[in-house]
């Protein structure tokens, strides 16, 4: 089944403890992206990747890192999580980096992170 | 960064009623997108719009790309209970490939 998977789906952690949220897609998509969703603020883009080894900042990159060593994986790393990073995180991918299929983003199921 | 103002924030309607929501921006977008998010899931693309003035339908959903390129609306006709969810608009520009800007969402509740 074609899908975007995220792990873990739920995570409670403490301030300062490094964590990684994994994202994997099995559709051979070029483009991948991370968003956070907070009540009343919609989805805000954290980082995106146009292809392997190509990453760029979105609107809210502070406190996050990403890497794209393989086409299928795009992990989100929080080196020193803080309570203001408590949020619902979504990974997404799309087939191309240009043209109309570029806009067909497929979203993962989300990861709910709580930082105490 | 760019911002999208989406309204209304929430709607409570009776089954069978029509729904209208819109998005406005202070800057131009080359692509407007409408997504729906069901409870506990990620957003799913409903409609994509690529040209100013374009009107596109997907079943009971109709969306339009504003002439000024700074706005878009989504209409849902004859609502049903499964229309419940959060609807997001999103915009993309050709000059900054890769970046997506989302509205704050419209939460729709449909009473049977």
């Amino acid at each position: 089944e074609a899908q975007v998977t995220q792990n873990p789906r739920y995570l409670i952690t403490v301030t300062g403890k490094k964590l990684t949220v994994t994202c994997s897609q099995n559709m051979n998509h070029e483009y991948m992206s991370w968003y956070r969703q907070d009540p009343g603020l919609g989805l805000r883009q954290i980082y995106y990747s146009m292809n392997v080894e190509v990453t760029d900042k979105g609107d809210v990159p502070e406190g996050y890192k990403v890497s794209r060593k393989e086409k299928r994986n795009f992990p989100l790393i929080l080196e020193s999580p803080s309570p203001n990073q408590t949020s619902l995180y979504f990974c997404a991918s799309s087939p191309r980096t240009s043209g109309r299929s570029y806009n067909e983003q497929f979203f993962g199921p989300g990861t709910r992170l709580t930082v105490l | 960064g760019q911002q999208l103002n989406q309204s209304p924030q929430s709607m409570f309607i009776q089954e069978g009623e029509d729904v209208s929501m819109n998005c406005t921006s202070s800057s131009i977008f080359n692509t407007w997108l409408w997504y729906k998010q069901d409870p506990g899931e990620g957003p799913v693309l409903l409609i994509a719009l690529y040209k100013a003035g374009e009107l596109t339908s997907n079943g009971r959903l109709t969306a339009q790309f504003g002439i000024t390129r700074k706005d878009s609306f989504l209409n849902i006709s004859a609502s049903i209970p499964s229309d419940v969810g959060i609807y997001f608009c999103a915009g993309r520009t050709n000059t900054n490939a890769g970046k997506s800007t989302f509205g704050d969402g419209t939460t729709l509740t449909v009473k049977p």
Side-chain angles (χ1 to χ4, degrees):
Chain A
E1 180 189 354
Q3 60 184 349
V4 178
T5 56
Q6 295 179 226
N7 282 293
R9 294 289 313 277
Y10 302 90
L11 179 61
I12 300 175
T13 189
V14 295
T15 298
K17 186 176 181 182
K18 181 179 178 180
L19 66 92
T20 299
V21 183
T22 65
C23 174
S24 182
Q25 49 92 5
N26 61 1
M27 298 170 279
N28 200 35
H29 285 176
E30 290 182 0
Y31 176 89
M32 297 185 76
S33 183
W34 275 104
Y35 299 87
R36 61 177 288 173
Q37 183 177 16
D38 302 291
L41 294 178
L43 287 103
R44 293 180 292 169
Q45 193 173 32
I46 303 171
Y47 270 95
Y48 62 92
S49 170
M50 301 291 271
N51 214 325
V52 175
E53 301 291 3
V54 181
T55 63
D56 213 340
K57 296 177 181 178
D59 290 322
V60 289
E62 295 78 20
Y64 304 96
K65 286 174 59 177
V66 293
S67 69
R68 188 93 181 273
K69 293 182 168 49
E70 305 166 283
K71 199 171 189 178
R72 64 183 294 130
N73 296 322
F74 190 44
L76 179 70
I77 304 155
L78 285 72
E79 294 270 3
S80 182
S82 62
N84 65 12
Q85 293 178 296
T86 293
S87 188
L88 179 59
Y89 291 86
F90 287 101
C91 180
S93 71
S94 66
R96 297 283 186 270
T97 56
S98 63
R100 293 196 170 191
S101 62
Y102 169 48
N103 293 305
E104 297 170 21
Q105 287 195 70
F106 295 83
F107 282 80
T111 295
R112 187 165 292 282
L113 172 66
T114 301
V115 183
L116 302 175
Chain B
Q2 294 169 310
Q3 289 188 324
L4 292 182
N5 297 308
Q6 188 171 347
S7 64
Q9 277 191 325
S10 60
M11 303 182 75
F12 296 83
I13 63 170
Q14 289 290 139
E15 183 177 359
E17 289 183 3
D18 296 342
V19 172
S20 184
M21 58 191 79
N22 67 80
C23 257
T24 59
S25 171
S26 58
S27 52
I28 288 173
F29 287 102
N30 300 107
T31 303
W32 282 93
L33 307 156
W34 286 93
Y35 289 85
K36 182 194 178 199
Q37 183 180 27
D38 289 327
E41 305 201 3
V44 174
L45 182 66
L46 297 173
I47 293 178
L49 302 158
Y50 299 100
K51 289 193 288 191
E54 180 180 354
L55 185 71
T56 297
S57 293
N58 178 5
R60 294 178 294 105
L61 277 61
T62 301
Q64 184 157 29
F65 191 141
I67 291 291
T68 64
R69 297 190 174 191
K70 293 183 179 181
D71 61 344
S72 177
F73 72 75
L74 175 71
N75 286 344
I76 305 172
S77 63
S79 59
I80 58 178
S82 63
D83 289 334
V84 164
I86 305 176
Y87 291 80
F88 291 102
C89 62
R92 279 185 154 163
T93 65
N94 292 341
T95 55
N96 201 345
K99 288 198 74 173
S100 291
T101 301
F102 280 76
D104 295 344
T106 295
T107 300
L108 179 64
T109 302
V110 180
K111 303 174 196 173

